[in-house]
Amino acid sequence: MLHQMQLSCRMHCAPGGVFRRATYDLMGVRRVFSSRLSLRRGALPALVVTAVAGAILVPAAGAPAASAAAPGGVSSSPGERNVEGRDFVTVRRGGKVLTVPTDLGGTGSLPAAVPSTKVNVSGSPIVAQGTRAAARSISPADGGSIETPDGEVVKAPMRAGVRRTQLVADGTWSWYMNPRALTTRAATYVGTTSTKGDIEVTRVSKAKHALQHARVARIDAALGRGVADDHASPSLLQTGDGRIAAFWSGHASTEVQYRVSTSADAMDFRPVQRLAGSGVAHRMATYTQVHYLRGDSHPYWLLTRLRNPDDNRNDWYLTRSKDLRMWTPAVQLFTNPYPKDVSKGWSYMKFVSDGQGTLDIAVTDGDPVNLATNSQFHIRYQDGVFSRSDGQPIRAMSDLRSSPMDPREGTLIYNGSSAEGPARVYDIQRDPEGRLALAMTTNFKPEGAPKASSYKWFVMTNGEWVGRTLIHGAEFAQGYDLVPGSTTRALLVNPGPTEQGRVQEWWSDDAGSTWTYRDVTPVADDRYRNPMSPWTPDAGNLRADSTITALWSAGRWDSWTDFDQAAMIETTSYRPVQLIGSTVKEGQWHARVRFLAREGVGGPPAARSVVEVTRTFPKARKYHSSDWSYRKYSAKTVTTSYTTTGSTRSLSMYAPRGTTVRVKVVAGVQNWGAGQLPTTRMR
């Protein structure tokens, strides 16, 4: 076992005999740790270090400097014996010292999971539950980034003052279209696709969480029936003048299409458009990722993967636009690294921009399913040139047409030939200071154990990448996303054995040395997938200005074409409600008013919500015989409130010609948001 191997150390002593720093190598992994250990001048005692879940064992107080060899060749540091006669060792983890009984492991070794305990402000202990394991990345000499030992992980209480609720009853998304959710000054927009093949956008206002929902398109099969495919969910963009644009494609079954709203921050979408002038307007595409780079002469950038039916290639292309009407001729970004077996070279990518003129690309050299050594790379575009993380040029934009890049020309972050198996990229984000972070997972099969996955986090500093493994767990990762605008905050579905299926938020306050996490969902469910947080056009805002802090999908998912999922949200505001119904004339003097309030779009009834029906009667003229004249009376308004039940309410109400009828949900009652039917004037 990794944590039972004795390691050799190189020690560096400063004048005065104070131990400052040591490095050690294990299976090609370069580790660095620091400590302060007083030494006698001229003495260089033996020091044995044991890696235990990323921790470093040091002698307990009063213990001899040299370590005693435990049975089975396992080295440990003996400590004091307590009144019960139990032996203890001291574990240094994330800068903190923990004392752990040696009999947890039976021979002086420690188990792969050591609970880390902190005390919150209320005084109650919080214990980390996830399974931890020592990092096993390859060394820079083998072509990979440094992965540091795992630090302390602490579980925090669930966040107070938030609500978890359904947003869309039939809606989900996949991983490789971005942004999938967008927060503006006025609202949050979420793109989804349904089991009917509908491409949909949902708007939730910030003020009272009023809900709007629109179907912008439907992916149709040859027979005209909608095709369910989560790869068709849209990406969203806010234009320079505040309008909302939605881009989408089928799963290599339709070309890229898009619609743009007429007004700023609104859902009044214009007719469908295609990539006119790009030369690929009729090429079958998969995924859309869109960015607004205001510092570029063509600020609207669209990246998509195009299918070549002749040789089964799927290559990523870039096209740009000044006005979202005409597009530049598309250029191929990358060539397939494996021409003899092109399915291995179906690269997956995520992009992030600074909103000005820099684009960072997280790209793999292939498909993690088809390529057993799938590796992770980084490339940056700036000032017309694509380069490695350290600034070394790769290719000018003008040269791409004749010579697309090979993903392996980028900076290697993770080598898929390592023991933890092929990489799958999930996200790349940057913070307001320009620091980059990358989220990815791996799949591997430990000896004598089932297949497993690892969630890895990397951060770039001065052109070099350093990372760590956050958690190990089940074979297939169900989702992992960085919070837009942050490099040390992520949402994921925990794969660990004790908390598998919980949507969680992880964050670090010390640049990734130690991590804290909380449950977003109160219960575990193996049907939770695809957690994410809304993206904002202003990276400096992070998500502080959004009333929706997390989104995820819930429900059955058997494949990308066979699913039945709902879009869920965590919100600091009201639960969005959809009011459906109608007001029609009934006879000469009455109106028939029907309404039903639902939780989100198409959800269950919004229990105990209050609906107000307001009738404004027209101005009236009445004959008065006392003075033989007509007198005018001002309009009269009558409002009646109804508490909703689980079924549609139908009311017959006095509403003569000229009466205006308004039906709305009262925001705030039972924490439901605002909702309103179109105003009706009786004729």
Side-chain angles (χ1 to χ4, degrees):
M1 294 295 293
L2 184 63
H3 65 273
Q4 295 176 335
M5 297 186 64
Q6 182 170 319
L7 313 177
S8 62
C9 296
R10 298 191 303 274
M11 303 185 61
H12 306 271
C13 295
V18 178
F19 170 71
R20 297 289 187 184
R21 187 174 180 85
T23 63
Y24 60 93
D25 294 282
L26 171 64
M27 297 173 61
V29 182
R30 181 170 179 261
R31 305 296 184 88
V32 181
F33 64 92
S34 300
S35 181
R36 296 180 63 87
L37 178 63
S38 297
L39 304 175
R40 295 192 305 274
R41 184 178 298 275
L44 190 62
L47 178 66
V48 178
V49 179
T50 303
V52 183
I56 299 170
L57 298 186
V58 298
S67 299
V74 178
S75 298
S76 62
S77 300
E80 299 177 341
R81 297 175 67 87
N82 69 353
V83 293
E84 298 175 346
R86 300 177 71 188
D87 292 322
F88 281 75
V89 292
T90 302
V91 180
R92 186 182 303 278
R93 182 191 289 273
K96 296 178 174 58
V97 176
L98 306 174
T99 302
V100 184
T102 58
D103 57 7
L104 283 176
T107 61
S109 63
L110 292 180
V114 180
S116 303
T117 304
K118 273 189 176 180
V119 177
N120 64 11
V121 292
S122 65
S124 58
I126 307 164
V127 181
Q129 300 293 330
T131 298
R132 313 292 304 142
R136 296 169 58 193
S137 178
I138 59 177
S139 70
D142 294 326
S145 60
I146 298 173
E147 192 167 334
T148 62
D150 299 342
E152 185 179 46
V153 175
V154 178
K155 185 170 185 178
M158 294 189 69
R159 184 176 177 180
V162 297
R163 301 175 181 91
R164 288 158 290 277
T165 187
Q166 184 172 274
L167 180 64
V168 181
D170 182 7
T172 191
W173 51 85
S174 186
W175 296 319
Y176 297 105
M177 56 286 299
N178 260 3
R180 293 160 291 176
L182 173 72
T183 289
T184 67
R185 291 183 178 181
T188 295
Y189 297 81
V190 181
T192 57
T193 186
S194 74
T195 55
K196 303 179 183 67
D198 294 329
I199 312 301
E200 300 174 328
V201 177
T202 303
R203 182 185 191 271
V204 183
S205 72
K206 289 183 179 179
K208 296 182 179 179
H209 259 208
L211 195 65
Q212 289 179 273
H213 183 74
R215 188 184 81 176
V216 296
R218 171 171 284 184
I219 301 297
D220 293 320
L223 298 179
R225 294 193 297 266
V227 178
D229 195 316
D230 66 8
H231 289 53
S233 58
S235 56
L236 305 174
L237 174 77
Q238 186 173 37
T239 66
D241 56 5
R243 292 174 296 151
I244 304 300
F247 294 78
W248 70 91
S249 73
H251 191 173
S253 61
T254 71
E255 64 274 22
V256 172
Q257 302 171 55
Y258 65 101
R259 294 179 67 179
V260 184
S261 67
T262 302
S263 310
D265 236 322
M267 296 275 281
D268 51 351
F269 290 104
R270 293 174 176 173
V272 172
Q273 297 177 258
R274 289 169 175 79
L275 303 177
S278 68
V280 296
H282 300 289
R283 289 275 301 272
M284 300 298 100
T286 306
Y287 309 127
T288 57
Q289 298 191 37
V290 290
H291 296 272
Y292 177 63
L293 278 65
R294 60 179 64 89
D296 193 84
S297 60
H298 293 72
Y300 301 105
W301 288 42
L302 180 133
L303 303 110
T304 187
R305 197 177 76 177
L306 299 180
R307 180 73 174 270
N308 188 339
D310 295 334
D311 58 6
N312 200 31
R313 294 169 69 101
N314 286 277
D315 299 315
W316 284 85
Y317 281 73
L318 164 68
T319 180
R320 301 175 296 155
S321 176
K322 286 184 177 180
D323 53 11
L324 291 180
R325 294 183 179 180
M326 295 299 296
W327 295 81
T328 61
V331 294
Q332 183 179 339
L333 284 178
F334 296 98
T335 186
N336 192 307
Y338 306 99
K340 293 184 179 180
D341 189 352
V342 294
S343 64
K344 290 183 177 180
W346 293 348
S347 297
Y348 285 85
M349 302 181 200
K350 277 296 189 77
F351 305 83
V352 67
S353 75
D354 65 350
Q356 294 294 332
T358 300
L359 187 75
D360 285 284
I361 308 171
V363 55
T364 60
D365 60 335
D367 186 321
V369 176
N370 299 325
L371 182 62
T373 60
N374 197 41
S375 301
Q376 182 67 61
F377 301 85
H378 168 252
I379 293 174
R380 168 169 288 181
Y381 170 83
Q382 193 172 37
D383 298 329
V385 177
F386 293 90
S387 61
R388 293 167 55 89
S389 302
D390 59 4
Q392 180 182 346
I394 299 174
R395 197 89 78 253
M397 173 79 83
S398 57
D399 295 333
L400 284 181
R401 193 167 300 281
S402 59
S403 179
M405 294 178 286
D406 186 316
R408 296 170 297 185
E409 294 182 81
T411 297
L412 177 61
I413 299 175
Y414 170 83
N415 191 322
S417 300
S418 71
E420 290 192 274
R424 177 180 288 276
V425 61
Y426 274 89
D427 203 8
I428 183 171
Q429 288 293 343
R430 61 184 296 139
D431 64 16
E433 286 72 40
R435 290 183 291 264
L436 282 181
L438 182 143
M440 55 158 280
T441 64
T442 67
N443 285 99
F444 62 100
K445 189 179 187 308
E447 185 176 353
K451 290 183 178 180
S453 63
S454 66
Y455 284 62
K456 294 184 178 294
W457 169 86
F458 293 92
V459 64
M460 188 182 82
T461 304
N462 297 324
E464 295 185 353
W465 291 86
V466 177
R468 58 167 290 178
T469 298
L470 295 185
I471 194 167
H472 284 117
E475 176 182 1
F476 295 108
Q478 298 300 318
Y480 180 21
D481 221 47
L482 296 171
V483 171
S486 173
T487 55
T488 55
R489 192 172 288 268
L491 290 165
L492 56 83
V493 179
N494 193 312
T498 59
E499 299 196 4
Q500 184 174 353
R502 291 181 187 269
V503 178
Q504 295 175 338
E505 180 181 23
W506 287 57
W507 68 93
S508 174
D509 296 323
D510 54 10
S513 296
T514 61
W515 289 77
T516 305
Y517 72 97
R518 69 174 179 95
D519 289 335
V520 174
T521 54
V523 297
D525 193 325
D526 59 5
R527 300 176 301 169
Y528 291 155
R529 290 173 54 84
N530 305 331
M532 64 174 177
S533 189
W535 186 84
T536 173
D538 182 2
N541 277 345
L542 302 180
R543 60 174 184 178
D545 196 33
S546 176
T547 55
I548 296 177
T549 52
L551 302 96
W552 65 97
S553 55
R556 181 183 60 82
W557 190 94
D558 294 325
S559 74
W560 56 82
T561 59
D562 185 9
F563 55 85
D564 183 9
Q565 293 203 300
M568 309 295 294
I569 64 171
E570 177 189 75
T571 176
T572 57
S573 184
Y574 302 133
R575 293 178 288 173
V577 61
Q578 181 188 39
L579 184 62
I580 57 176
S582 62
T583 301
V584 297
K585 186 176 179 62
E586 186 177 62
Q588 185 176 359
W589 304 102
H590 291 78
R592 175 64 61 176
V593 180
R594 296 182 177 88
F595 57 84
L596 174 64
R598 292 187 176 275
E599 177 185 350
V601 178
R608 307 296 297 171
S609 59
V610 172
V611 175
E612 286 184 349
V613 180
T614 300
R615 291 168 291 163
T616 302
F617 299 102
K619 294 180 179 180
R621 296 178 64 199
K622 188 174 181 180
Y623 175 73
H624 285 256
S625 58
S626 60
D627 57 4
W628 300 61
S629 66
Y630 285 91
R631 298 179 186 175
K632 292 183 178 180
Y633 292 86
S634 60
K636 181 180 180 181
T637 298
V638 176
T639 298
T640 311
S641 298
Y642 302 89
T643 300
T644 61
T645 60
S647 58
T648 300
R649 176 160 289 194
S650 180
L651 305 169
S652 180
M653 312 185 78
Y654 175 70
R657 187 175 65 179
T659 301
T660 300
V661 181
R662 296 180 178 87
V663 184
K664 70 174 185 178
V665 178
V666 180
V669 178
Q670 297 294 321
N671 295 317
W672 292 111
Q676 185 169 328
L677 294 179
T679 300
T680 302
R681 183 179 177 85
M682 308 311 298
R683 300 186 181 278

